[in-house]
Amino acid sequence: MTNIFGLNLDELTALITALKLPKFRARQIIEWLYLKHATSFDQMTNLSKDLREKLSQEFIIERAKSWDRLDSADGKTTKFLLQFGDGIGVETVLMRQSYGNSICVSSQAGCNMGCAFCASTLHGMARNLSAGEILAQAMFIQELLNETGQQINNIVIMGSGEPMLNYDNVLKFIRLVHEPYCLNLGYRNITVSTSGIVPGIEKLAQENIPITLSISLHAPNNELRTALMPINKRYPLEEVIRAAVHYADTTKRRITYEYILIDKYNDNLQQAEELCRLLKNQLANVNLIPINPVKERNFNRPSPIRIKTFARYLNDHHITATVRQEMGADINAACGQLRNKHL
């Protein structure tokens, strides 16, 4: 049977009219799915009993189930491992910040990018997630927030996986959460992160949706970046930067470059100087991320003074740089760590 969770109104309308039912039924059903969080047709009380029975014979509503949960000691970060019908688990994180509730969702189960510092890629990629499965992560957390009258304020597609390699499902998810009958989230409150898949960046620039693009840079030259991120062999730094500049020019949206700081590896002043030259005069900012050590990797976190010195050099040379506020280090909040524990 067809799982209708994750369909947009047009798609659901097509299914409903194919059953010789009036179009307005699709609107009723979709509001039950996304606004009232119904998990079965029996809960849709403004539909007749016969209609609910008919729908339950044709369709299913498949959501995510909780597999594991970790809460940080400060109460600001909660990491969930959610499970879908085929047994696949994915990670989703809720970050309670001063400016609202942000969530980080995964676009793939696992990852095959092979980044040298990341836990998500240790077991490779199991499969892409459907738009409904990405949405199910957001809805799981929204239902939790409903208990205290709160809502999701920002979504970052920055969990496990490479969003640009699951482009169609990610874009459908972005458009769906923007709909008033879903989460009604503004496009400017959505960020998609990529390791630098140039065709995806170029395609996204033409979609006419003002979301924020975040690019995992992590090194200021090709030699160092290739050592950290094998994808750099296919899409070298110059091509990634060119695509990013095109995105900023087309959308008028500032690019965020993510730069993970690894002790005595890519955090020297020489690399800071290279980074300034690389990003000079761009509509961009740099998000410096002191590495969250992964036990399977041999990278260490820089000292506070090295982090501060690197950030100060960038800012002194007219590159806007901030150090990401650490959240969830005590619960292994880095991508992939909780899922790997269960694998």
Side-chain angles (χ1 to χ4, degrees), residues 44 59 66 71 152 171 213 310 340:
M44 302 181 184
F59 309 122
S66 179
D71 293 277
I152 294 169
L171 187 65
L213 177 65
F310 195 95
N340 288 347

Side-chain angles (χ1 to χ4, degrees), residues 155-328:
I155 293 177
V156 292
I157 308 169
M158 202 180 289
S160 295
E162 167 52 64
M164 296 300 184
L165 296 183
N166 190 16
Y167 187 93
D168 291 343
N169 286 321
V170 167
L171 187 65
K172 181 181 176 183
F173 163 74
I174 290 171
R175 294 191 185 280
L176 189 53
V177 294
H178 178 69
E179 292 288 352
Y181 57 76
C182 194
L183 289 179
N184 196 28
L185 195 68
Y187 284 132
R188 294 178 184 273
N189 298 94
I190 300 172
T191 298
V192 61
S193 175
T194 177
S195 60
I197 308 299
V198 170
I201 297 171
E202 293 173 339
K203 191 175 180 181
L204 188 63
Q206 306 307 315
E207 297 288 355
N208 195 31
I209 50 176
I211 63 173
T212 299
L213 177 65
S214 178
I215 295 178
S216 297
L217 201 62
H218 306 321
N221 60 65
N222 278 314
E223 182 180 4
L224 192 56
R225 192 168 191 264
T226 297
L228 288 172
M229 305 175 67
I231 192 63
N232 194 67
K233 295 177 184 176
R234 184 167 184 180
Y235 302 113
L237 202 52
E238 297 80 11
E239 292 184 23
V240 174
I241 296 297
R242 194 179 307 118
V245 170
H246 172 70
Y247 185 90
D249 288 345
T250 302
T251 65
K252 311 305 179 189
R253 297 285 288 161
R254 182 179 294 271
I255 300 292
T256 295
Y257 289 105
E258 308 281 346
Y259 192 101
I260 199 161
L261 287 170
I262 304 171
D263 187 42
K264 299 179 181 63
Y265 190 88
N266 67 346
D267 65 339
N268 299 307
L269 286 183
Q270 175 188 341
Q271 280 111 34
E273 181 183 356
E274 288 183 83
L275 190 58
C276 288
R277 289 200 302 269
L278 185 69
L279 303 183
K280 185 178 179 180
N281 297 326
Q282 283 197 45
L283 180 63
N285 60 275
V286 177
N287 190 8
L288 298 172
I289 311 167
I291 191 169
N292 224 347
V294 176
K295 67 179 182 180
E296 294 89 351
R297 308 297 194 181
N298 294 314
F299 292 127
N300 297 313
R301 185 187 184 89
S303 66
I305 188 63
R306 290 182 71 87
I307 296 168
K308 185 177 180 180
T309 299
F310 195 95
R312 184 171 60 233
Y313 186 94
L314 296 186
N315 283 304
D316 287 348
H317 291 79
H318 312 293
I319 302 295
T320 303
T322 56
V323 179
R324 179 183 289 179
Q325 178 186 359
E326 184 175 60
M327 299 188 75

Side-chain angles (χ1 to χ4, degrees), residues 10 40 90 150-151 177 180 214 283 302 310:
D10 289 341
S40 73
V90 300
Q150 300 179 69
Q151 63 184 31
V177 294
S214 178
L283 180 63
F310 195 95

Side-chain angles (χ1 to χ4, degrees), residues 18-239:
L19 294 178
K20 310 300 182 185
L21 297 172
K23 287 184 178 180
F24 76 88
R25 293 298 187 192
R27 170 70 69 170
Q28 290 178 312
I29 294 166
I30 214 160
E31 289 179 353
W32 276 106
L33 287 178
Y34 304 142
L35 297 179
K36 301 176 184 177
H37 305 285
T39 57
S40 73
F41 293 106
D42 288 339
Q43 295 171 293
M44 302 181 184
T45 52
N46 59 346
L47 307 182
S48 70
K49 185 177 180 180
D50 288 345
L51 177 54
R52 282 179 274 163
E53 179 66 26
K54 180 179 179 66
L55 292 172
S56 64
Q57 292 172 357
E58 297 285 341
F59 309 122
I60 57 173
I61 303 169
E62 188 173 300
R63 302 277 300 276
K65 297 179 180 179
S66 179
W67 189 352
D68 200 353
R69 169 178 174 165
L70 297 172
D71 293 277
S72 64
D74 62 11
K76 293 181 178 180
T77 307
T78 304
K79 185 168 195 175
F80 301 93
L81 184 65
L82 303 179
Q83 188 177 47
F84 296 109
D86 63 354
I88 285 291
V90 300
E91 294 177 348
T92 308
V93 182
L94 166 62
M95 296 158 283
R96 303 169 183 88
Q97 296 160 316
S98 59
Y99 51 84
N101 296 303
S102 297
I103 69 166
C104 180
V105 298
S106 297
S107 56
Q108 296 176 316
C111 184
N112 62 4
M113 289 293 96
C115 296
F117 50 82
C118 185
S120 291
T121 194
L122 287 170
H123 294 280
M125 187 190 76
R127 63 173 176 82
N128 283 331
L129 299 180
S130 68
E133 289 170 331
I134 305 173
L135 178 64
Q137 299 171 61
M139 283 299 184
F140 182 93
I141 293 181
Q142 183 55 61
E143 289 179 20
L144 179 72
L145 292 174
N146 284 345
E147 296 174 6
T148 52
Q150 300 179 69
Q151 63 184 31
I152 294 169
N153 303 106
N154 300 281
I155 293 177
V156 292
I157 308 169
M158 202 180 289
S160 295
E162 167 52 64
M164 296 300 184
L165 296 183
N166 190 16
Y167 187 93
D168 291 343
N169 286 321
V170 167
L171 187 65
K172 181 181 176 183
F173 163 74
I174 290 171
R175 294 191 185 280
L176 189 53
V177 294
H178 178 69
E179 292 288 352
Y181 57 76
C182 194
L183 289 179
N184 196 28
L185 195 68
Y187 284 132
R188 294 178 184 273
N189 298 94
I190 300 172
T191 298
V192 61
S193 175
T194 177
S195 60
I197 308 299
V198 170
I201 297 171
E202 293 173 339
K203 191 175 180 181
L204 188 63
Q206 306 307 315
E207 297 288 355
N208 195 31
I209 50 176
I211 63 173
T212 299
L213 177 65
S214 178
I215 295 178
S216 297
L217 201 62
H218 306 321
N221 60 65
N222 278 314
E223 182 180 4
L224 192 56
R225 192 168 191 264
T226 297
L228 288 172
M229 305 175 67
I231 192 63
N232 194 67
K233 295 177 184 176
R234 184 167 184 180
Y235 302 113
L237 202 52
E238 297 80 11
E239 292 184 23

